[in-house]
Every structure is written in C-alpha cells, then in structure tokens.
Amino acid sequence: QVQLQESGPGLVKSSQTLSLTCTVSGGSITTGYYSWSWIRQPPGQGLEWMGAVAWDGSTYYSPALKSRTSISRDTSKNQFSLQLNSVTPEDAAVYYCARGPGHTDPSDYKAERWEYDYWGQGTQVTVSS
C-alpha cells in the first residue's frame, strides 16, 4: 500500500518561507500517471488544493497561491516538496500530501477528499507573528 508522510518545521515566522517534504513509499512518484499534491486545511475551514507535481515532473498550482508556491521533487528519494514564500498567519493550517489523478489541466485539480486515494497524516504548521 502507498504511504505518504509529511515532514518539516511546525513553526514558521511571518514573511519567511515554509518548506515541507513528503516522503512516499510503496509506489514511485514517477510512474502510474498519478499526481502528488499538497493540500491544506486551516482551522475550522475546508480543504484547499495548493499544487501538485505529476508523474512526468510537470507542476501545477492553485491560481491563488501560484505566485508564492513552488513544488519540486527528488526522484532518487521518492520525495516531493513544498515551498510557500512570504507566509502570514492565514497560512497556518494542517498540511497534507496526497496522491491523485495525473491531470494535465490545473483546473482539474480539486480540493475534494475523494479525488485522492492516499493521504499523509498531515502536519500542523503554525505561523508566528
């Protein structure tokens, strides 16, 4: 079974950069026509899809976050990472990595729970002021 696990700092200062890594086991991030997404959930709010890297290395971003977001991958480690620049307290959330279909249109990526078959446990990120 595919397993995903987020790692990274739980506390980030305002205006600085959040960096998280998702380690994938039980499946390769380079095969299977899948995408590997970052999704977050602020306290008391719904899911927000942030961006993804597809099996072929293509990256896709939420229009709302594209200017601040970068997703990369390390195929040798079967990992993909998130960088979110210029964080504010509004970026405080539980951050998840998840596997979904390898869409080629950014508009096809959705913050729908059932779109993704495997999820990491999530990591809580707090932003200090």
Side-chain angles (χ1 to χ4, degrees):
Q1 183 169 320
V2 174
Q3 293 180 296
L4 299 86
Q5 185 162 42
E6 305 88 350
S7 61
L11 178 65
V12 182
K13 295 180 179 179
S14 291
S15 81
Q16 296 195 335
T17 297
L18 170 66
S19 296
L20 298 174
T21 296
C22 183
T23 300
V24 179
S25 61
S28 173
I29 64 172
T30 65
T31 62
Y33 302 104
Y34 293 111
S35 64
W36 306 88
S37 287
W38 287 100
I39 301 163
R40 68 180 182 180
Q41 186 170 35
Q45 301 183 40
L47 298 173
E48 179 183 19
W49 177 79
M50 303 181 69
V53 56
W55 64 273
D56 63 352
S58 300
T59 52
Y60 307 91
Y61 299 99
S62 166
L65 298 170
K66 181 177 176 60
S67 66
R68 297 195 292 135
T69 305
S70 180
I71 294 173
S72 59
R73 67 179 186 173
D74 185 338
T75 58
S76 69
K77 297 180 179 179
N78 213 38
Q79 295 177 329
F80 64 104
S81 298
L82 169 74
Q83 287 193 290
L84 181 65
N85 299 323
S86 303
V87 301
T88 73
E90 286 68 42
D91 293 313
V94 177
Y95 284 74
Y96 299 93
C97 53
R99 188 180 80 168
H103 299 301
T104 58
D105 189 328
S107 65
D108 289 332
Y109 288 90
K110 303 181 185 301
E112 300 280 357
R113 174 65 179 84
W114 297 316
E115 185 82 355
Y116 306 91
D117 55 359
Y118 292 100
W119 294 71
Q121 65 184 8
T123 185
Q124 189 169 93
V125 174
T126 300
V127 180
S128 65
S129 60

